[in-house]
Each structure stands twice: as C-alpha cells, then as structure tokens.
Amino acid sequence: MAAAKLMDFDKALEMFEPVLGFEVHVELNTNTKMFSDAPNPANEAFHAAEPNTLIAPVDLGLPGALPVVNEMAIRSSISLGLALGCSIAESSRFARKNYFYPDLGKNYQISQYDEPIAYEGSVEVELEDGTLITIPIERAHMEEDAGKLTHMGGATGRIQGAEYSLVDYNRAGVPLVEIVTKTIFGTDHRAPEVAKAYVQAIRDIVRGLGISEARLERGNLRCDANVSLRPRGQEKLGTRTETKNVNSMRSVERAVRYEIQRQAQILADGGTITQETRHWHEDTGTTSPGRPKSDADDYRYFPEPDLLPVEPAAELIEELRAALPEQPVARRRRLMAEWGFTDLEFQDVRNGGLLEVVEATIAAGATPATARKWWTGEISRLANAQEKDATELISPENVAALQQLVDAGTLTDKLARQVLEGVIAGEGNPQEVVDARGLAVVSDDGALIAAIDEALAAQPDVMAKIKDGKVQAAGAVIGAVMKAMKGQADAARVRELILERAAQ
C-alpha cells in the first residue's frame, strides 16, 4: 500500500480545526469475570494461562447458562464514575449488543446502551507545561470484553493473508468500563498532546482507585481516538475516523498527529474523508483502513432479559464517594512540592509513568532525589534494553534497600549498579547479592594502606608532587588502588590515607 501524503502539521492547523473524541476501555481487576465465576487473575497469571482455561459456560454462550452481575465490578464502576465527576444513575440497565464474530460465543455482547451507570462528567488534564484542560465526559458504562483471535499462517499476524484463526475465550467476559467523551473542541496545535494527557489522566485515576492495572501494553487500558477536521470558521463538523486500540501513550499522541496531517492533505487536495475505523502501526507510525463505520451501526440493542436493572443505594454511592482518592492533578502538584522537584525533574517521573513507584520507594526509606535517580536512570536504561516496563524489573522496597547500602558506605554507586543487575537477575535482595558476589566496599585501613603502598611503589614521583602541594596528583594513586581492588575501595578513605602519608 502506497504511503499516504501528509500535510505539514503547522500548515494543517492553519487551514483546519481538529475535533477530537475518545473512547477508553478499562479492564477491571475483579477476581472473577463480569457475569460468571470464571477467574480473572492479575496480568502475569492471565497471560501465562493456557488458552480457553479461564472460562465458564456463560463466557462461551452455552445453552442454559445465565449471567450473574459481579458486585465488585459495579462498585468499581461507580467509583470510576464518581472520580470522573459523573452523576450515578438511580437505575441503569444492561442491554444486548448484537453482532456476529467468532470472539463472541453468544453472538452478542452484554453492555449498556441508553441507560449507563454514570453520565455527564468531566476530567481535568494537565499538559506538560502545567496548562489545565477540562475534558467533558458523556458517559461511562459497564460491559464485558470479547475473546481474542490469533490469525495463523500469514506474514503479518492479521486476518488478511492468514490461513486460519484460533479463538481464545479467556478474555471473554472480563469486566470493562467504557468511558466516552463528548466532542472536544479548541485543542488546536496541542491536540496530540491533549490526547496523550487525557489517556494518562484516565490511567492515573483508575490506578489511584486500585480498580485496574491500567497497562496499555497489556490491554488493560485501550484507547480509540476519534479525529475529524473542519475548515477554519466553519461550524459543520467534518467526517471522523476512529483509530482503534492504540497501545501506548506515545502512540496515542502520534496517531492523532498523523490523522490530522493525513486528513488535512486529503481535504486540501479536494478529496473526502471516509468514516471508518483505522489501525495504528507502531513500526511505521501510520494508520491504515479498517472497516467502514457509520453513526448508526445496527447493533439491534434491546434490554438484557436475564439481568435486573442496577439500582445502587444512595448510601453505597456516598460510601464510595467518601473513599475517593485525591485527584491526580492535585496529587501531582502536592508531591512535586513535598519532594522539592523542579518542573523538569517531576516531568521525568510523571511522563515515564513512574509516579507511584517513586512514591513507594520514598515511603520505603529512600530520599526523593535518590528514588528519582534510580528509576529514571539506571533502571529505565535496563528496562529499555530488555523492552520491559521498569516496574517489572525490581520492587520499590529493593530500590530503597539498595540506596540504603550506598548511604551506609557499604556500596559505591558503581558497585550498586552491579548489585542492581544481580537483583534484577533474580539473585536475591540487595544485601543477598552483596554477600553472594562479595561486592561490599573495602574500608579496612590495613588492606587500603597495602594497596596504596603498592601503587606508590609503581609511581615513585607521585608522593613528591603531593608533598609539593600538587594534591591533584593523588588521583593517579587513587585510580590505581580502585583498579587493584576492583572498584571496591572507599575512594574517599583512600585519598585521606594518601594525604596522611604525605604529611608524615
């Protein structure tokens, strides 16, 4: 397929106004599924499970199997709705959304249609320079996830060109909340940044509530980005596209930017935009057509006859409201002040998705500066090299314990990096790695003096230089001692001993 022509981004924004909308799906971390007692384990266990083992008759749509609503999923959905500033419906109803695809054993999805659990809210998002933008929320509704298709025999892993497809129903029935925004105007040249910031805000909210792991790369959080353009000064909305299931914050930003440039070029050339879903390609940074999509897809919704309306008690709603955590924007600003970070230092933590682990590391005993140093420095470097999330490599408690060994003088920064690699390799906690590898700093004066004497014997002119006041000459001896002791000498103590020797 030929590459699409793209208009320069700034030129596109001179000619057209971008109009956005987002649909974000959040997988809830309940112990069981939305309408069955099939297990819904946490990320690692879920992805390690054999296909079609986390299932129950309801998930497969077997005859006679009846759904039962997961109470914890309802509580989590209400909490999320409240955190989004929504009103909670006195009565909401499940509906059957009918469509035929192999990943739905029933040939319909149990969702909510015209009576969602939460409606009419807003969420405040913060851009990198501190600008606050309010995103209007139309609704948040409960539903179940579908299964997963694996396309076999093709070159791309997509259905096009595949010889056959395998269906795994493990994901079928996993509880979801879909958050739908209202139409978003006025973002202009910051539209891609607003898209990224909005998804980050949703991730921060659900993590703060503790209702989802919210990892885009694992599919716990999935974003569909709607983009349309209209000529400057025109009131009529343009035709939108819906880029599906973008799986990283950076990709959300890139996908919106790409669609603005692609659509602008088509319109400038006198073409028309096809209303359709589009697939995002991380490797090329482009989108490609999916399926045509109208505003009136005929899903033939009708009320789910096997489930009663959800009518939460006012006391429950107020109980959940009282338990809401601090809003992400307020929390970030409080933490930045408490930790004494500059805007730039805090951006490293916030934009890397490390806020929670840095906070946990500080709670475990590290200073804010050292916690930030480890997570944004060496740990992030190792995570990038292994193509993993930094939080998968080491716990906040072990990072704090590692820093405590540095603070106590047991380790130098260089030795601490070796210990870090040992912890990540599964060799134990920091102290166990130090003991097993023999990495502790040598602070015994006798051993250090012996190494100094050996270094001075190899460089007999150095001592005379030091006695003549050229103290910087001690660096050559310190370097030789550190090399001889494989980096395990206390460099500060070595320097002290050299200067003491020179003063004799």
Side-chain angles (χ1 to χ4, degrees):
M1 181 182 295
K5 293 172 60 181
L6 303 181
M7 182 179 288
D8 175 77
F9 184 74
D10 290 333
K11 182 179 178 182
L13 269 297
E14 289 177 8
M15 298 177 63
F16 301 100
E17 176 191 357
V19 179
L20 307 179
F22 302 101
E23 298 161 17
V24 174
H25 290 80
V26 178
E27 279 188 352
L28 302 178
N29 58 3
T30 53
N31 292 329
T32 56
K33 292 187 179 180
M34 188 74 203
F35 301 112
S36 79
D37 60 0
N40 180 37
N43 266 327
E44 297 300 333
F46 186 92
H47 288 278
E50 291 294 319
N52 296 309
T53 56
L54 306 176
I55 53 176
V58 170
D59 310 317
L60 299 177
L62 298 183
L66 296 176
V68 177
V69 178
N70 186 321
E71 178 184 356
M72 185 54 66
I74 291 177
R75 293 177 66 97
S76 296
S77 301
I78 293 172
S79 293
L80 179 53
L82 292 171
L84 295 171
C86 291
S87 299
I88 304 301
E90 293 183 3
S91 177
S92 66
R93 185 185 295 274
F94 287 102
R96 290 188 180 182
K97 179 181 180 181
N98 293 273
Y99 65 95
F100 305 101
Y101 206 62
D103 59 8
L104 278 174
K106 301 187 295 289
N107 282 331
Y108 62 86
Q109 178 189 37
I110 301 179
S111 181
Q112 291 190 308
Y113 179 46
D114 55 345
E115 300 178 67
I117 186 74
Y119 60 96
E120 292 293 335
S122 65
V123 60
E124 195 172 49
V125 305
E126 184 177 18
L127 305 186
E128 289 190 5
D129 65 357
T131 300
L132 296 178
I133 293 181
T134 299
I135 303 296
I137 303 297
E138 180 178 300
R139 56 189 277 143
H141 64 262
M142 300 179 287
E143 61 186 23
E144 60 178 341
D145 212 341
K148 178 182 178 181
L149 290 176
T150 302
H151 305 297
M152 310 297 293
T156 64
R158 295 188 178 277
I159 192 170
Q160 294 84 0
E163 296 177 10
Y164 60 94
S165 299
L166 300 176
V167 186
D168 179 6
Y169 285 108
N170 280 350
R171 198 175 65 184
V174 168
L176 290 178
V177 176
E178 180 177 354
I179 305 163
V180 182
T181 68
K182 295 183 179 181
T183 305
I184 302 167
F185 302 98
T187 59
D188 290 325
H189 68 285
R190 307 197 76 169
E193 186 184 356
V194 169
K196 176 183 176 183
Y198 171 69
V199 180
Q200 284 178 327
I202 298 299
R203 180 198 63 188
D204 292 345
I205 287 170
V206 298
R207 283 184 176 176
L209 291 169
I211 63 175
S212 174
E213 295 187 46
R215 292 172 59 177
L216 276 83
E217 77 279 6
R218 289 289 180 85
N220 305 134
L221 191 70
R222 306 197 290 270
C223 175
D224 299 341
N226 294 281
V227 178
S228 67
L229 300 180
R230 62 180 178 182
R232 291 286 175 183
Q234 177 178 298
E235 292 190 10
K236 183 181 178 182
L237 295 177
T239 302
R240 62 184 173 86
T241 62
E242 180 182 352
T243 304
K244 303 286 288 185
N245 294 339
V246 187
N247 65 357
S248 76
M249 301 296 177
R250 177 170 174 265
S251 293
V252 170
E253 185 174 23
R254 291 173 68 203
V256 169
R257 186 183 186 94
Y258 178 86
E259 274 300 292
I260 289 172
Q261 293 180 268
R262 186 188 69 86
Q263 292 184 27
Q265 187 63 59
I266 292 172
L267 294 172
D269 289 342
T272 58
I273 304 300
T274 300
Q275 185 162 326
E276 62 188 354
T277 64
R278 295 187 67 86
H279 301 293
W280 170 252
H281 303 282
E282 183 67 34
D283 54 346
T284 60
T286 63
T287 64
S288 63
R291 61 180 176 85
K293 187 176 178 68
S294 73
D295 287 319
D297 288 324
D298 185 14
Y299 291 121
R300 292 178 292 123
Y301 283 99
F302 63 87
E304 168 58 70
D306 294 325
L307 292 171
L308 293 171
V310 176
E311 299 177 345
E315 293 78 12
L316 172 63
I317 295 173
E318 292 312 308
E319 172 193 330
L320 296 174
R321 192 191 306 276
L324 290 178
E326 190 176 13
Q327 281 292 316
V329 170
R331 176 169 171 263
R332 284 195 297 271
R333 294 189 170 188
R334 173 179 59 80
L335 291 176
M336 186 172 76
E338 288 179 1
W339 295 345
F341 286 175
T342 65
D343 288 341
L344 190 60
E345 289 170 336
F346 198 77
Q347 280 179 26
D348 287 344
V349 174
R350 175 194 167 198
N351 295 339
L354 298 172
L355 188 61
E356 289 80 10
V357 294
V358 168
E359 185 176 23
T361 306
I362 294 169
T367 65
T370 56
R372 174 186 171 274
K373 178 195 73 173
W374 281 114
W375 285 106
T376 64
E378 191 66 10
I379 298 173
S380 288
R381 183 187 70 79
L382 293 170
N384 290 335
Q386 298 182 32
E387 297 184 345
K388 290 185 176 180
D389 190 290
T391 57
E392 295 181 68
L393 300 187
I394 187 170
S395 70
E397 292 74 21
N398 274 336
V399 175
L402 180 62
Q403 182 58 41
Q404 286 161 6
L405 291 173
V406 175
D407 294 340
T410 304
L411 296 174
T412 62
D413 282 345
K414 183 176 180 180
L415 292 173
R417 289 193 290 272
Q418 296 180 47
V419 174
L420 173 66
E421 292 174 354
V423 174
I424 291 173
E427 298 173 21
N429 63 40
Q431 186 62 60
E432 290 169 342
V433 174
V434 169
D435 295 340
R437 293 193 179 189
L439 290 175
V441 167
V442 176
S443 55
D444 174 62
D445 282 358
L448 295 177
I449 289 170
I452 290 169
D453 288 343
E454 184 176 342
L456 286 171
Q459 305 176 74
D461 60 325
V462 170
M463 184 55 73
K465 291 180 180 178
I466 297 174
K467 288 184 176 183
D468 286 342
K470 298 177 180 177
V471 178
Q472 65 270 24
V477 179
I478 295 171
V481 172
M482 296 299 291
K483 182 177 180 181
M485 304 192 75
K486 298 179 180 179
Q488 291 180 241
D490 182 339
R493 184 55 181 158
V494 171
R495 187 177 188 278
E496 290 174 1
L497 291 171
I498 294 171
L499 296 180
E500 287 176 9
R501 178 66 58 87
Q504 294 176 355

